[in-house]
Amino acid sequence: MMPKKDAAEPSSLKYKRQSDEGFSELQFRQPPPKTPVRAIVLAVTLFCLGTTLIIVGSLLLAGYFDKRYADRTWPVLILGVVLFIPGFYHVRIAYYAYKGYRGFSYEDIPEFDD
């Protein structure tokens, strides 16, 4: 024979009957999105490196530096543009989400999965 389990008295339970056919507004609320700090730091880094490389490439193109570095002009400019574009895009989204502009959210920035 199995021992009986002690059942709690109904008055000690903290349940209450839901009205509205069993649905609650809390079911449909989305929790606030987490801020993707690592992705924002990466975007700021790409933005700063891209800006720096574009400036250096422009100075190389203008002839500000010695002529022996002229062969590095186009690769530096192209690499600067490749780093600048995604960095600027994600920094802009993060800024607009921080300011609370409509249509922008931290969910638009991809996160790193651990």
Side-chain angles (χ1 to χ4, degrees):
M1 207 163 161
M2 296 181 72
K4 291 185 179 180
K5 293 184 180 179
D6 293 331
E9 294 180 23
S11 62
S12 68
L13 298 177
K14 297 190 181 196
Y15 295 111
K16 76 176 194 180
R17 184 176 290 268
Q18 289 186 351
S19 59
D20 311 321
E21 303 169 10
F23 293 107
S24 167
E25 285 186 32
L26 294 175
Q27 287 177 286
F28 303 107
R29 288 189 189 163
Q30 290 184 342
K34 293 187 281 184
T35 306
V37 177
R38 288 174 35 185
I40 293 173
V41 168
L42 176 65
V44 169
T45 304
L46 289 175
F47 177 73
C48 292
L49 284 174
T51 303
T52 304
L53 288 174
I54 289 173
I55 291 170
V56 169
S58 299
L59 291 174
L60 283 168
L61 189 63
Y64 185 76
F65 292 116
D66 195 10
K67 290 289 183 188
R68 64 182 165 163
Y69 300 117
D71 61 336
R72 296 179 178 101
T73 303
W74 292 109
V76 169
L77 274 173
I78 292 170
L79 185 61
V81 169
V82 166
L83 292 176
F84 178 81
I85 291 173
F88 174 75
Y89 176 75
H90 287 100
V91 167
R92 182 180 63 95
I93 291 174
Y95 175 75
Y96 286 162
Y98 173 74
K99 285 295 195 176
Y101 286 114
R102 227 173 119 189
F104 291 94
S105 171
Y106 288 123
E107 293 176 349
D108 297 335
I109 301 173
E111 293 185 41
F112 297 110
D113 292 56
D114 293 333

